[in-house]
Amino acid sequence: MSNNKVEFISVVVPVYNEEGCLEELIRRSLAALEKTERRYELILIDDGSRDRSPEIMTAASEANPDKVISCFLNRNYGQHSAIMAGFSLVRGDLIITIDADLQNPPEEFGRLVEAAEQGNDVVGTIRQNRKDSILRTLPSKVVNKAAQAATGVKMHDYGCMLRAYRRHVVEAMKQCHERSTFIPVLGNSFARNTCEIPVGHSERAAGESKYSFWKLINLQFNLLTCMTTFPLRILTYFGILSGLAGFLLSLYIIIRRFVMENGDAWGAFGVFTLFAVLFIFVGIQMFGIGLIGEYIGRIYTDVRARPAFFIDRVLGRKDQ
Ligand code: UDP
Ligand code: MG
């Protein structure tokens, strides 16, 4: 499969107040890229940093013309938007994303390229002995399960940003204009073949996590809503369940009332009947809200206006 060869690698790094790690990241990334013996570029996206990161980036670009590309956003947009900005600049045929904090080693670039050349559009990674607190690992476990169910793509670790995407997958992602997005899930939804390789994981090299608790929760919601509108449907299901329970309860009460002796007292003189009626009405209400949710879900899908398909290639036409 010779056409799978990667000629040009673009590495995209979002940078937000990373002055402590940035120099080492640039040095190690360039060394790792040099080792792959392909053309390459290292694209640094400054996501509105307030420390010395922009200066470090500028210096690196001046020292490595056409190899280190620096891009400055006018304010802080968030990690995934910064990566999207990086995607708009890439020239390579394989795009690798990595965090600036050196939790994942740039030395793995070579293995990502190898895996991509084996015919994978997306190469994911699994963090070996993850060095994060339970506050980070637990939510990501739950979300991974949800992501697997929603996308049907079995990937173990959506949270890990060290990933490689073929150019056509990135082009597809660029066509998605939604604002709250989660790159790994989006990437997977446009991939034919994916694989995962294990990579090392270590503590943050310097500085602290840019995700506060609330930002993290927001991120998890982004992840959920970017792949499915299922949560909107949950109410409908609850409504159906509640209505059904109410209906069965009333049936039971009626039977007891007429068939059994002393049925009136058993039903607590109408209290249970009230419950049955309540269940039915609550059910109808929830069903109604869920139905509205269905419409909202469809509006949401349409507003996102993701392209419905992407043609990989067309064969057998004369004018090509
Ligand atoms: N980041 C960013 N904008 C933000 C927050 C983070 O560009 O608003 C970058 C950050 O510089 C780093 C990456 O996203 O390169 C991941 O951030 P961090 O390591 O803090 O996240 P964690 O590892 O805690 O998930
Ligand atoms: Mg990190």
Side-chain angles (χ1 to χ4, degrees):
M1 290 213 272
S2 57
N3 61 339
N4 272 333
K5 181 134 177 54
V6 173
E7 313 270 349
F8 191 158
I9 308 166
S10 297
V11 175
V12 174
V13 193
V15 177
Y16 182 50
N17 297 340
E18 301 283 6
E19 60 183 1
C21 328
L22 204 52
E23 271 155 346
E24 191 187 342
L25 172 94
I26 294 171
R27 190 170 45 73
R28 280 171 60 184
S29 299
L30 289 181
L33 284 166
E34 211 49 76
K35 254 210 192 130
T36 61
E37 294 174 344
R38 325 279 159 118
R39 280 185 71 197
Y40 65 83
E41 60 184 356
L42 179 65
I43 303 179
L44 304 167
I45 311 295
D46 168 46
D47 189 16
S49 300
R50 297 194 179 279
D51 62 356
R52 277 186 46 249
S53 304
E55 282 107 81
I56 299 172
M57 286 165 58
T58 313
S61 283
E62 278 164 5
N64 305 279
D66 215 35
K67 297 235 159 112
V68 179
I69 319 287
S70 296
C71 163
F72 303 90
L73 303 183
N74 61 337
R75 68 164 172 88
N76 180 252
Y77 288 92
Q79 179 186 4
H80 293 262
S81 303
I83 295 175
M84 277 301 204
F87 284 170
S88 72
L89 298 173
V90 295
R91 293 172 293 173
D93 46 13
L94 186 76
I95 290 89
I96 297 177
T97 56
I98 187 171
D99 284 351
D101 57 1
L102 290 167
Q103 284 192 287
N104 294 120
E107 286 72 28
E108 308 276 6
F109 288 164
R111 288 179 55 226
L112 286 171
V113 175
E114 253 170 50
E117 285 183 335
Q118 279 157 15
N120 294 301
D121 311 318
V122 174
V123 183
T125 50
I126 309 176
R127 291 172 275 198
Q128 300 294 298
N129 54 42
R130 203 175 154 186
K131 297 272 191 330
D132 279 324
S133 67
I134 181 100
L135 207 67
R136 305 270 352 223
T137 53
L138 195 70
S140 75
K141 266 203 190 111
V142 175
V143 167
N144 278 337
K145 277 273 168 297
Q148 281 176 20
T151 57
V153 182
K154 289 262 173 295
M155 276 224 176
H156 295 93
D157 198 350
Y158 275 99
C160 188
M161 273 301 150
L162 178 58
R163 276 159 184 276
Y165 307 93
R166 280 279 177 183
R167 179 61 175 265
H168 67 94
V169 174
V170 168
E171 290 302 325
M173 285 196 259
K174 274 159 60 180
Q175 305 285 320
C176 300
H177 298 291
E178 60 224 57
R179 266 143 221 274
S180 43
T181 189
F182 198 89
I183 308 259
V185 176
L186 199 59
N188 268 7
S189 59
F190 297 123
R192 186 195 297 253
N193 299 316
T194 63
C195 74
E196 285 181 299
I197 57 174
V199 294
H201 191 245
S202 47
E203 308 263 1
R204 212 172 208 292
E208 48 194 40
S209 175
K210 305 296 178 289
Y211 281 102
S212 66
F213 183 67
W214 290 114
K215 242 178 146 180
L216 207 63
I217 290 186
N218 188 30
L219 189 75
Q220 310 291 4
F221 271 119
N222 277 358
L223 211 176
L224 199 69
T225 55
C226 97
M227 48 190 190
T228 172
T229 50
F230 177 76
L232 287 172
R233 196 167 290 166
I234 292 174
L235 265 183
T236 316
Y237 293 146
F238 264 120
I240 293 173
L241 225 67
S242 164
L244 207 68
F247 178 70
L248 291 178
L249 186 59
S250 40
L251 259 185
Y252 185 57
I253 290 170
I254 290 168
I255 292 169
R256 271 209 85 114
R257 182 74 179 81
F258 290 110
V259 178
M260 302 277 191
E261 253 176 66
N262 218 358
D264 201 14
W266 176 84
F269 303 102
V271 172
F272 278 21
T273 318
L274 219 56
F275 268 112
V277 173
L278 186 75
F279 280 176
I280 292 173
F281 274 103
V282 166
I284 292 171
Q285 277 176 0
M286 281 201 191
F287 186 80
I289 296 173
L291 202 64
I292 295 173
E294 283 296 314
Y295 283 100
I296 294 178
R298 277 162 180 72
I299 294 170
Y300 177 55
T301 317
D302 275 4
V303 166
R304 279 195 302 197
R306 277 189 195 170
F309 58 82
F310 279 97
I311 297 176
D312 198 7
R313 66 206 139 154
V314 181
L315 285 184
R317 246 176 50 179
K318 243 205 202 132
D319 53 355
Q320 274 186 339

